[in-house]
């Protein structure tokens, strides 16, 4: 039997009078890559932040790696986050640190007390895995958008995560760079075998990275399946998304 690593059960989240997530139900199994597809404002980014415990829900249950985190505080979430990598849409690098120091800071936070030579070896190896070992001494301000995404991915990977969350990994990138990031995601899938949730509105990224796609509309899932199946859907909203 497949093991669910992530589960959202009847999740409701509102900001003031505006409901963003409405009775959202989603299960992601160990080793599975699930793409959450939807238009801007459909609740995608809020959903992934609920999974990470960054946003607290109003109703329902959130389970992560077998733990109910619905009402968990930062102390309870910390050990779970040590097994979870998060690629933020903006990459969210520390601008006052070099690329190498960004990765080292994350690794030190998760595994304090590592010997300096082991720390540097791990940083260099992770940067090599994303094709940017040469950027180790650069400041984030010197990086292109695609490089920032790669460094953000490296920072998420350096902890060898069990769960990997991608928030719009190709947003703001030109088509060639977006394809490079998608190809890198596929390599990570093959090499690291994480369980992943990928938030995107990029159909090409979804087609190549997803084991399963769920379509989010007005805060709830309206259809789920493979890319091929959804591309043939007769649901008006799904059809419009796949056939613009």
């Amino acid at each position: 039997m497949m093991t669910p690593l992530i589960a959202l059960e009847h999740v409701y989240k509102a900001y003031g009078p505006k409901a963003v997530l409405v009775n959202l139900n989603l299960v992601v199994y160990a080793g599975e890559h699930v793409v959450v597809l939807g238009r801007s404002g459909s609740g995608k980014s809020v959903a992934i932040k609920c999974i990470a415990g960054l946003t607290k829900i109003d109703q329902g249950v959130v389970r992560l790696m077998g733990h109910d985190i619905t009402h968990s505080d930062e102390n309870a979430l910390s050990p779970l986050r040590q097994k979870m990598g998060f690629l933020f849409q903006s990459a969210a690098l520390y601008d006052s640190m070099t690329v190498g120091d960004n990765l080292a800071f994350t690794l030190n936070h998760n595994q304090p007390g590592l010997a300096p030579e082991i720390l540097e070896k791990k940083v260099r190896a992770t940067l090599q895995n994303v094709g940017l070992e040469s950027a180790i001494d650069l400041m984030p301000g010197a990086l292109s958008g695609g490089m920032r995404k790669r460094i953000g991915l490296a920072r998420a990977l350096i902890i060898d995560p069990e769960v990997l969350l991608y928030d719009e990994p190709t947003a703001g990138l030109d088509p060639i760079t977006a394809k490079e990031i998608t190809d890198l995601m596929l390599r990570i899938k093959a090499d690291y075998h994480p369980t992943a949730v990928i938030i995107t509105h990029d159909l090409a990224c979804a087609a190549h990275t997803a084991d399963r796609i769920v379509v989010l509309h007005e805060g709830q899932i309206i259809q789920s399946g493979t890319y091929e199946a959804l591309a043939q859907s007769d649901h008006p909203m799904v059809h419009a998304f796949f056939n613009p």
Side-chain angles (χ1 to χ4, degrees):
M1 179 181 294
M2 291 190 294
T3 304
L5 246 63
I6 298 166
L8 303 178
E9 302 170 5
H10 306 294
V11 166
Y12 177 87
K13 175 65 182 177
Y15 292 97
K18 180 174 175 55
V20 180
L21 300 177
V22 183
N23 196 33
L24 178 61
N25 292 281
L26 174 66
V27 175
V28 181
Y29 295 98
E32 189 179 25
H33 275 48
V34 171
V35 164
V36 181
L37 202 61
R39 293 177 172 175
S40 297
S42 60
K44 304 186 304 297
S45 290
V46 174
I48 204 171
K49 288 174 182 174
C50 291
I51 292 170
L54 297 172
T55 295
K56 295 300 181 184
I57 64 175
D58 299 324
Q59 297 174 30
V61 177
V62 180
R63 302 184 195 279
L64 179 63
M65 292 179 262
H67 298 268
D68 182 343
I69 67 164
T70 311
H71 304 293
S72 295
D73 59 18
E74 290 298 312
N75 290 333
L77 285 167
S78 182
L80 295 176
R81 287 185 178 151
Q82 290 175 8
K83 304 175 184 177
M84 179 174 59
F86 198 132
L87 176 63
F88 293 90
Q89 185 172 341
S90 63
L93 302 177
Y94 298 112
D95 289 333
S96 61
M97 297 182 182
T98 66
V99 164
D101 288 343
N102 263 276
L103 270 65
F105 178 85
T106 299
L107 188 56
N108 258 328
H109 180 75
N110 275 46
Q111 300 176 34
L114 285 177
E117 61 272 16
I118 295 175
L119 189 66
E120 183 177 0
K121 184 178 179 180
K122 180 74 170 177
V123 167
R124 287 190 177 277
T126 307
L127 285 172
Q128 189 175 39
N129 284 346
V130 301
L132 281 178
E133 186 181 359
S134 61
I136 190 168
D137 293 321
L138 294 180
M139 301 299 289
L143 305 176
S144 67
M147 291 172 74
R148 290 179 71 91
K149 293 279 189 178
R150 285 177 179 269
I151 300 304
L153 263 176
R155 192 178 63 180
L157 290 172
I158 200 165
I159 62 172
D160 297 315
E162 189 173 346
V163 170
L164 192 52
L165 305 177
Y166 296 90
D167 188 7
E168 298 283 8
T170 61
L173 303 178
D174 63 82
I176 293 173
T177 306
K179 184 181 184 306
E180 290 173 352
I181 295 299
T182 298
D183 290 344
L184 178 58
M185 291 167 66
L186 289 173
R187 237 181 33 245
I188 289 167
K189 183 178 182 181
D191 293 345
Y192 287 81
H193 311 289
T195 301
V197 176
I198 303 161
I199 301 297
T200 188
H201 60 269
D202 181 343
L203 286 175
C205 179
H208 287 94
T209 59
D211 297 313
R212 177 165 53 98
I213 296 173
V214 299
V215 181
L216 198 61
H217 177 62
E218 295 183 348
Q220 54 189 320
I221 293 169
I222 56 173
Q223 205 154 65
S224 173
T226 64
Y227 183 93
E228 293 75 16
L230 293 180
Q232 301 300 318
S233 172
D234 57 4
H235 188 292
M237 291 306 306
V238 178
H239 180 81
F241 202 99
F242 280 82
N243 300 274

